[in-house]
Amino acid sequence: MSESVAVIGAGPGGVIVARWLLAQGFDVTVFEAGPTLGGQWSGRPGFSGVWPAMHTNTSRVLTAFSDLDPDSDVVFPSNQDVLDYLRRFADTFDITPRIRLHTRVDLVDREGDSWRVEHAGTVEIFDRVVIATGRFRAPAIPPVRGLDAFTGSGGVSSTFHYRGADDHRGKRVLVAGCAVSALEIAAELAHSGAARVVVTQRRQRYVLPKFAAGVPSDHRIFTRFGALAAAALPPVEIDRQLREIVVEAGGSPEQYGAPPADPSLFAAGVTLNQTYLPLVAEGRIGVRPWIESVDGSEVTFADGTHDEFDTILFGTGFGVDIPCLSDEVRAVLDLDDAHIDADRYTFHPDLPGLALVGMWDQSGGYFVPLELQARWIAYAWGGAIPMPSDAEQRDAVAAYRSRRGQSQKTRMNLAAIMFARAAGVEPSIDKWPELRRALLFGPLAPSCFRLEGHDASPDAAQRFTRDAAAFGAISDPEFTEREQSYRSMVEST
């Protein structure tokens, strides 16, 4: 009899881990609180931060899994495209019949060597549990003096609850934050009839256009070379190279009339957005420093200036939120708003039979690392590869704890390579000379992680060649300098 696994959540993480657990012979049940699969991509008000006009800021190549290609040539899919893809994926791999919709899990706790899952007064026992409830479900609004008494007619809310520009036509809107949702919504409001749009931020980020010189920017910045360099080159050199890529593609913020960013890209941060900086340059979006205080409908900023607003929207990130976990399990994971103690965001040595999916603070696309993390879990539990030893897991947890208090953002390429190595599916550069440039400097397409290891696919090389060639990663001469940098890095190490 096959082991039973409860997967909590039917978003991208839940769907992909179910696919690979089924491939390893597990009996999988997926619990979903909502009326449909998709997680954030369902667009459900109150449960999703996706609004009707939203498109991905990651390209179609990196917003897909390795076993099913997108069915459109649209480079940046709409949110409905992504939801349709997830439904098609679940149907293709016989996951849909295993999803229990309208089933909110109230408690996950240990039951001897097994796991207890409670929902609507019902108790079920499973051999294993995967938590796939998502990292972007608990919007965080920072404390601001006077904010609770804001009297603007549009009120205060998170961008998580934004559902389009119609409610903001003719209004003065302050958007707080400089990450993806804040800049996307500020740009949409500026295009769609808001009387005035102002962005307030703690620091100016670099803004990388989603598409530059015919290439999606996630193909430039989230590469295998970037992950290898992070382990071999001095941080200052990695910082310089990344900043160079960003500024060459989209310029520096002060060139558009925005405040200058910190010379260090690592210190400043970077956000992908195609239209925000041009709108700042046209005066259609104003930029102010962070909010000092609120008095009625008047907002005072850190530089002493003040202004009146009808609405304040906060796009200021998310906290960790896994309400179904028991107090005992939460204590073992030392769970708080920002941290989860786990070996590479996945396992804990004192919680055998429990795994987490998609719970790292993500920067960049997450479909590819989600699949690699899912394969690691399935292979390790299924016996295809060894589970990390107790000592390895404890060392990894200790290393994570030593970084508490620092930024927890993990770039997509670093997460992808970390999980690919754990799953034993990182392709060897030397083994694929004809794909060498693409493997180093091209997109981290899901197809490249089917070249080697468990579940290697005979058509993976052909598919990866196609994915890399679509935007020139195989032949683009701009990679010559970075190739030389790679040679120097290899020789020095």
Side-chain angles (χ1 to χ4, degrees), residues 49-402:
V50 169
W51 61 96
M54 195 195 90
H55 283 245
T56 66
N57 68 326
T58 56
S59 62
R60 69 170 183 273
V61 171
L62 301 186
T63 314
F65 300 130
S66 67
D67 279 326
L68 189 69
D69 290 335
D71 60 0
S72 167
D73 290 334
V74 171
V75 179
F76 292 95
S78 71
N79 62 85
Q80 186 60 51
D81 291 335
V82 177
L83 181 58
D84 290 345
Y85 175 86
L86 291 171
R87 287 173 171 157
R88 188 161 58 94
F89 187 90
D91 288 342
T92 300
F93 294 99
D94 202 31
I95 300 163
T96 304
R98 295 176 175 273
I99 301 175
R100 297 189 197 171
L101 301 175
H102 302 286
T103 308
R104 178 183 299 280
V105 171
D106 301 311
L107 184 69
V108 172
D109 200 1
R110 290 192 280 193
E111 182 81 14
D113 293 333
S114 302
W115 288 85
R116 185 169 74 253
V117 174
E118 298 184 11
H119 55 90
T122 301
V123 175
E124 296 185 65
I125 305 300
F126 292 86
D127 296 307
R128 302 174 188 269
V129 173
V130 179
I131 303 297
T133 50
R135 182 64 174 75
F136 304 115
R137 47 178 284 128
I141 295 181
V144 174
R145 182 160 49 92
L147 185 64
D148 291 345
F150 178 69
T151 60
S153 60
V156 176
S157 69
S158 165
T159 56
F160 183 81
H161 302 292
Y162 174 83
R163 283 301 176 271
D166 288 350
D167 292 342
H168 304 283
R169 294 187 192 280
K171 294 187 182 295
R172 302 162 297 178
V173 184
L174 179 65
V175 181
C178 198
V180 174
S181 66
L183 299 195
E184 290 285 342
I185 288 170
E188 184 172 308
L189 292 171
H191 280 301
S192 303
R196 186 152 47 85
V197 180
V198 174
V199 168
T200 174
Q201 54 193 20
R202 295 185 188 277
R203 68 183 186 279
Q204 176 65 55
R205 292 189 178 197
Y206 290 91
V207 182
L208 179 65
K210 295 198 301 187
F211 215 96
V215 180
S217 289
D218 57 1
H219 289 219
R220 296 177 184 273
I221 200 166
F222 298 119
T223 64
R224 178 93 168 276
F225 171 75
L228 296 174
L233 296 178
V236 66
E237 176 59 18
I238 305 166
D239 195 351
R240 183 196 69 78
Q241 290 189 20
L242 286 175
R243 184 182 182 279
E244 186 176 274
I245 293 170
V246 170
V247 173
E248 284 180 356
S252 199
E254 69 272 14
Q255 294 174 297
Y256 294 83
D262 192 289
S264 165
L265 184 135
F266 287 166
V270 60
T271 299
L272 268 68
N273 183 279
Q274 194 70 21
T275 59
Y276 170 74
L277 284 179
L279 288 168
V280 171
E282 293 173 359
R284 297 166 69 183
I285 294 178
V287 185
R288 298 286 180 85
W290 191 243
I291 304 169
E292 181 70 25
S293 63
V294 174
D295 184 5
S297 63
E298 184 178 84
V299 175
T300 298
F301 299 98
D303 61 357
T305 62
H306 49 85
D307 208 340
E308 300 273 342
F309 294 96
D310 301 301
T311 302
I312 304 177
L313 295 173
F314 280 85
T316 42
F318 296 84
V320 175
D321 181 40
I322 314 177
C324 64
L325 292 179
S326 70
D327 290 343
E328 179 195 357
V329 174
R330 296 172 67 88
V332 173
L333 295 171
D334 202 9
L335 194 65
D336 64 20
D337 288 343
H339 304 95
I340 304 174
D341 283 359
D343 173 7
R344 287 161 284 185
Y345 311 103
T346 307
F347 300 118
H348 193 286
D350 294 329
L351 297 169
L354 176 74
L356 306 166
V357 166
M359 289 298 176
W360 68 95
D361 195 1
Q362 303 154 10
S363 173
Y366 66 110
F367 272 57
V368 176
L370 271 182
E371 178 171 8
L372 292 165
Q373 187 182 32
R375 290 172 71 184
W376 179 29
I377 293 167
Y379 294 161
W381 279 357
I385 61 175
M387 273 290 294
S389 70
D390 183 275
E392 288 171 328
Q393 291 185 57
R394 293 190 189 282
D395 286 347
V397 170
Y400 175 82
R401 289 190 64 81
S402 72

Side-chain angles (χ1 to χ4, degrees), residues 135-136 222 344-345 359-366 369 400 403 406-419:
R135 182 64 174 75
F136 304 115
F222 298 119
R344 287 161 284 185
Y345 311 103
M359 289 298 176
W360 68 95
D361 195 1
Q362 303 154 10
S363 173
Y366 66 110
Y400 175 82
R403 298 192 299 273
Q406 303 174 24
S407 172
Q408 299 300 316
K409 283 285 184 186
T410 302
R411 298 198 303 276
M412 173 265 187
N413 54 339
L414 300 181
I417 296 303
M418 175 178 68
F419 293 135

